[in-house]
Amino acid sequence: MVAPPPGSRSSPGLRIGVGAHGTTAAPRRPPERLRCRVPFAVVLAFAWFVGGAAAQQDPLKSADCGRALAALESARADPAAGTAAVEARRAAATRACLGGTGAAERPPPTARAPVVVPPPVIAMPEAARPRPPVVPRPPAPPPFITACDAGGCWDSNGTRLNRAGPQLIGPTGACTVVGQAVRCP
């Protein structure tokens, strides 16, 4: 076995960058000269890309486009210029500023039928049937005396009315007797 050179970080018997089982132990750092070249190459590529984009001028900002647009505006402002002259200048401006053939045509206007919206239908609730008027019950007939003895009387409700002299006394107080009918408070 060969001993590693002094100052190396590899263990004896192993190759540099390869572990005991043939796997990479740790990534090797590139030499100093390559570490400086990579960022420089990136900066150079970026400068070339930006410089190439600047070399290609925007057609809308070109002198040809400006002259064609000025000619179109002067043709529009001139009342003596006919429609054909304005259309020819428009086609020239289209070719100069946008490229292509310059045969841009407006689509013909189309007439559409108005949109018909049906009126809203609001369902009304069915009219409530009128209820028959509430007829109040006739008052119950007053109780009447059914039987009497020396101590009092019984009325038709089954209540005992005790006698106190000529007066009949019910559970709630003195009662008034009119014929056979009895009214107790």
Side-chain angles (χ1 to χ4, degrees), residues 59 90-104:
R90 181 177 292 139
T94 301
R95 279 191 304 275
C97 298
L98 302 176
T101 62

Side-chain angles (χ1 to χ4, degrees), residues 124-149:
M124 298 299 289
E126 292 182 22
R129 292 183 184 160
R131 294 183 181 178
V134 178
V135 179
R137 288 186 181 175
F144 54 93
I145 295 176
T146 55
C148 288
D149 58 21

Side-chain angles (χ1 to χ4, degrees), residues 36-136:
C36 293
R37 287 184 185 172
V38 171
F40 180 74
V42 170
V43 169
L44 186 63
F46 180 76
W48 177 76
F49 178 73
V50 171
Q56 296 174 353
Q57 190 179 18
D58 185 11
L60 291 174
K61 296 178 182 176
S62 68
D64 291 339
C65 178
R67 284 190 295 271
L69 287 175
L72 176 61
E73 290 301 320
S74 67
R76 283 184 179 165
D78 185 14
T83 308
V86 172
E87 287 300 319
R89 301 277 166 85
R90 181 177 292 139
T94 301
R95 279 191 304 275
C97 298
L98 302 176
T101 62
E105 294 183 15
R106 293 182 182 157
T110 57
R112 293 189 303 168
V115 177
V116 177
V117 178
V121 177
I122 301 173
M124 298 299 289
E126 292 182 22
R129 292 183 184 160
R131 294 183 181 178
V134 178
V135 179

Side-chain angles (χ1 to χ4, degrees), residues 151-180:
C153 297
W154 294 94
D155 68 2
S156 59
N157 290 338
T159 306
R160 174 76 176 165
L161 305 173
N162 294 321
R163 186 174 300 274
Q167 195 77 30
L168 290 175
I169 308 292
T172 57
C175 298
T176 306
V177 178
V178 178
Q180 291 287 323

